[in-house]
Amino acid sequence: MNKKIIYIIGAGRSGTTLLDIILGNNPKLFSAGELNRFPIRNGACPNIGKETAAYKYWEAFKTDFLSHHKDYRLDEINKNLINKYEYHSAILRIIFGSKSSKSRERYVDYLRNFFDTLSEKVDKEIIVDSSKYPCRGYFISQLYKSDISFIYIKRNPVDVSHSFAKKDLEQPPKSWFMTNLYLFCVNHLCNYILYKVKNNSKVVRIKYDSLVADPVQTLTTIQEALNIDLSHSIEIIKNDDYLFPGLLFDGNRLRMKEKIKLEKKDNSKPRKLSFKDKITMLFNSSWWK
C-alpha cells in the first residue's frame, strides 16, 4: 500500500466521527469513516440515498474490491473474522491466541487487500479510518507499522453517559451501569493497545472537550505530533466556515449532513453533578484524568 493511515481510536459517542470529518477537510487526507462496518453493511452506505456521492463511491469500491477477490463473501467475513478479531473480546486472542492460526491469517489478509484496493482508488496521501475499535487498530498496526498513526480521543464520561441515555440516536441506548462499565473497559483497552503499538506508530491523545472548546489548539497539537498539514481545517474553523462530511462510509448522523459548522463550547464553567454523575467521574477517573 502506498498510502498512510490515521486510525481514530476511542469509545462510542466520544467524537470520532466529528474528528474524522475535520481531518478530511484537508487536501491530503481522505476521510473514510468507520471502515470496520463495510462487511457488516454488505458494502452499502447506511441510511443515505443511493444517488448520494458517498453511496456511489462505496458501491463502486465494493464492485472493484469483490471483482479482485472473488473468494470473499462479506457476510462470511463479518461473521467469522470481524466478530472474532475486531470486537473488544478479541483482546484475548491478541494476548493468548496463536499468530499462525488460519482464521487470523485470513483476517489480516482481508485487511491488507481492503486497504490495498482503497489505496488505489484514493487520490490523497492519507486515509482516515475512524472505526474506533482498539483491536482492529492493533491488527492494522501489525501490517503497516510506521505507516499508521493513532489519534486517541476521549470524552468526559458524564457527557458520554448522558449521550448513551438518549433513545433517538442511531445506536441503541445503554443503561447507566452498562455505560460506565463500557467506558472503563474500552478506554483502558485503548491505552493498552496504544502501549503495544507505540514503538512503531505515532500516537497522539486528545480530549473531545478540548476539540470543541479550543479546536485550533487541538488540531495544532495533532498536526505537530503526527507531522501532517491540517492548516486548511484550521483556517475553516478560524473563519467560522462550513466543514463538509465528504465520503464517509459509516459513522454517526453528522455524515448525513451536507455541511456542518463546528460549534465551539465553553467547558470552563463548573457544572452541577448529580450523585450518579459523581460516581461516574470517580469510577472512570483512572483513564479520564
Side-chain angles (χ1 to χ4, degrees):
M1 189 180 75
N2 59 2
K3 300 289 192 296
K4 294 185 180 296
I5 298 171
I6 291 177
Y7 190 83
I8 301 175
I9 191 172
R13 311 283 177 92
S14 295
T16 54
T17 300
L18 174 62
L19 178 59
D20 195 339
I21 290 171
I22 293 173
L23 296 178
N25 275 258
N26 291 276
K28 295 184 178 181
L29 281 77
F30 177 79
S31 182
E34 297 180 7
L35 293 177
N36 66 307
R37 301 188 70 80
F38 186 82
I40 300 170
R41 302 296 195 183
N42 195 33
C45 279
N47 303 321
I48 61 173
K50 292 185 177 181
E51 297 304 312
T52 61
Y55 190 97
K56 290 179 178 180
Y57 181 90
W58 290 106
E59 191 68 18
F61 171 81
K62 174 185 174 181
T63 299
D64 191 27
F65 179 60
L66 294 181
S67 68
H68 284 85
H69 304 284
K70 293 182 169 57
D71 60 325
Y72 283 167
R73 286 183 51 200
L74 294 181
D75 57 343
E76 181 269 333
I77 289 172
N78 177 45
K79 181 179 179 181
N80 297 327
L81 301 179
I82 302 300
N83 288 347
K84 184 180 290 187
Y85 291 104
E86 295 200 351
Y87 293 154
H88 305 314
S89 59
I91 189 60
L92 298 176
R93 291 186 172 86
I94 291 175
I95 297 173
F96 302 112
S98 170
K99 292 185 178 181
S100 59
S101 71
K102 289 185 178 180
S103 64
R104 179 165 172 160
E105 289 176 357
R106 182 165 171 77
Y107 170 64
V108 171
D109 187 62
Y110 161 74
L111 288 178
R112 181 187 295 108
N113 291 329
F114 182 93
F115 279 104
D116 282 352
T117 305
L118 185 58
S119 177
E120 292 173 0
K121 295 185 72 67
V122 170
D123 60 357
K124 300 184 179 183
E125 296 178 8
I126 302 171
I127 297 169
V128 183
D129 181 351
S130 57
S131 295
K132 301 190 293 286
Y133 284 89
C135 295
R136 173 182 168 87
Y138 171 80
F139 284 110
I140 298 175
S141 77
Q142 299 306 290
L143 268 176
Y144 298 115
K145 306 294 183 182
S146 60
D147 286 333
I148 178 173
S149 301
F150 289 83
I151 303 176
Y152 170 37
I153 183 169
K154 57 184 180 179
R155 184 180 181 187
N156 187 302
V158 170
D159 290 335
V160 180
S161 177
H162 291 173
S163 178
F164 268 118
K166 297 177 181 177
K167 298 181 179 180
D168 60 340
L169 303 180
E170 283 183 289
Q171 295 175 323
K174 294 183 188 291
S175 69
W176 174 80
F177 175 79
M178 291 305 297
T179 295
N180 277 276
L181 184 61
Y182 164 78
L183 285 174
F184 182 87
C185 294
V186 171
N187 281 285
H188 279 290
L189 179 56
C190 286
N191 281 295
Y192 176 75
I193 293 300
L194 293 178
Y195 172 78
K196 296 274 287 183
V197 306
K198 67 178 182 178
N199 291 333
N200 292 319
S201 304
K202 294 177 182 177
V203 174
V204 60
R205 293 171 167 83
I206 67 168
K207 290 184 176 181
Y208 171 82
D209 312 69
S210 300
L211 179 63
V212 296
D214 192 353
V216 171
Q217 180 56 52
T218 303
L219 292 176
T220 301
T221 297
I222 296 172
Q223 180 174 247
E224 293 173 352
L226 302 187
N227 192 28
I228 57 175
D229 181 10
L230 301 180
S231 58
H232 196 262
S233 57
I234 289 173
E235 285 303 309
I236 290 174
I237 291 167
K238 281 183 177 179
N239 296 330
D240 196 29
D241 209 340
Y242 286 101
L243 296 158
F244 296 91
L247 301 171
L248 274 74
F249 177 77
D250 205 349
N252 69 21
R253 293 181 297 178
L254 286 177
R255 68 186 172 82
M256 291 183 264
K257 296 180 180 293
E258 291 186 7
K259 56 185 179 179
I260 63 172
K261 187 173 288 189
L262 185 63
E263 296 181 6
K264 300 176 186 178
K265 296 182 180 179
D266 183 5
N267 295 318
S268 61
K269 297 179 181 179
R271 64 170 71 187
K272 289 184 178 181
L273 299 178
S274 68
F275 177 74
K276 277 189 172 182
D277 291 341
K278 292 177 181 178
I279 296 298
T280 294
M281 291 299 291
L282 179 63
F283 185 71
N284 290 286
S285 60
S286 56
W287 62 265
W288 172 242
K289 297 298 182 183

